[in-house]
Amino acid sequence: MEANSFAQVWQDVFTVQPDPPLWIVIAAGAVALLVVAAGGRAWRVARNVVTIAHEGGHAVVALLSGRQLTGVRLHSDTSGVTVSRGRPDGLGMIMTILAGYTAPAVVGLVGIVLLTAGRITALLWISILLLAAMLLLIRNVYGVVSVVGTGAVVFLVSWFTPAEVQSFFAYLFTWFMLFASVRPVFELQSQRRRQPSPHSDADQLDRLTGVPGTVWVMFFALFNMAVVVLGVWLLLFR
């Protein structure tokens, strides 16, 4: 869609696009898996998107549980922090912390729902709107740069590229969120072994529930891997 007006874009958002050729779906998945598995510079840059989803998950659940959201910070080492006010324990706080490491997989699953419904353009523009909402919560310069940069890439793809490129990008994003949901969990456990900290999500859940942090890491891993398996089936074998 090389759109000439927002009216055309708006029309395309509500239009069902045909499924792309299977090779595009597979190629996008292969590239996403390579970025996640190979690591290196590409992973460090792309991991910022995972951090945005992670902190966005904390923020959304904090609001849904009635907590007062103070703000979000994203850091150049791909870490982040979401600050909210409210009761320091209880179900709302537990769910808020639990949402972080599961959010990227959930985002990937939502992407699959939209893609399998033929809503490729809708996926891209919903992403832009969510990033704009996230921007209102950011409280540091790097966070602003990270969110604006991500939104700009999605906008440029959705506005200037043909349908085939948009399809590849949308599937690449969805595959990436699925695969990238798993690696940070293993990084979390590795960091917990090297530098134990009471501030990790797993250790905060340990303190709130009495369930050991390692068990929570296993839960994150199993949940995200289950979503990956479901996602592969939905995208390739449904």
Side-chain angles (χ1 to χ4, degrees):
M1 172 189 63
E2 295 180 343
N4 297 315
S5 69
F6 276 105
Q8 181 179 341
V9 172
W10 193 246
Q11 180 180 356
D12 288 337
V13 167
F14 291 98
T15 300
V16 176
Q17 288 89 31
D19 291 336
L22 183 59
W23 72 265
I24 288 182
V25 179
I26 295 174
V31 172
L33 183 59
L34 180 63
V35 170
V36 174
R41 184 175 181 83
W43 166 246
R44 288 195 297 273
V45 172
R47 198 187 189 290
N48 286 283
V49 180
V50 182
T51 305
I52 292 172
H54 179 113
E55 300 304 331
H58 285 316
V60 168
V61 176
L63 291 172
L64 292 176
S65 62
R67 300 182 62 80
Q68 181 182 354
L69 193 60
T70 303
V72 176
R73 290 178 177 270
L74 307 174
H75 303 136
S76 58
D77 63 355
T78 70
S79 66
V81 61
T82 299
V83 180
S84 62
R85 295 177 180 173
R87 183 177 171 180
D89 54 14
L91 183 61
M93 189 63 183
I94 292 171
M95 296 304 296
T96 296
I97 298 173
L98 189 63
Y101 278 97
T102 57
V106 172
V107 171
L109 194 57
V110 172
I112 291 173
V113 171
L114 291 171
L115 291 177
T116 54
R119 303 292 182 175
I120 295 172
T121 305
L123 171 60
L124 298 177
W125 279 83
I126 288 172
S127 299
I128 293 172
L129 293 176
L130 291 175
L131 287 167
M134 183 76 170
L135 185 62
L136 299 176
L137 304 173
I138 298 297
R139 297 294 183 265
N140 68 323
V141 174
Y142 183 83
V144 170
V145 172
S146 182
V147 172
V148 170
T150 303
V153 171
V154 179
F155 172 77
L156 290 172
V157 170
S158 64
W159 190 263
F160 292 108
T161 64
E164 294 79 7
V165 176
Q166 290 186 41
S167 295
F168 180 84
F169 184 84
Y171 277 90
L172 175 65
F173 168 77
T174 301
W175 279 119
F176 176 76
M177 295 309 294
L178 289 176
F179 295 141
S181 68
V182 177
R183 179 164 178 161
V185 178
F186 289 94
E187 293 175 346
L188 168 64
Q189 184 60 18
S190 177
Q191 183 178 19
R192 291 179 72 241
R193 288 197 303 267
R194 294 194 316 270
Q195 297 176 324
S197 169
H199 302 299
S200 76
D201 288 5
D203 291 291
Q204 290 185 67
L205 288 168
D206 181 348
R207 187 171 61 253
L208 289 168
T209 66
V211 178
T214 302
V215 174
W216 286 110
V217 173
M218 292 174 60
F219 170 79
F220 295 147
L222 291 173
F223 177 88
N224 292 348
M225 287 189 289
V227 174
V228 170
V229 171
L230 176 61
V232 170
W233 180 78
L234 289 173
L235 288 173
L236 298 181
F237 303 108
R238 64 180 178 85

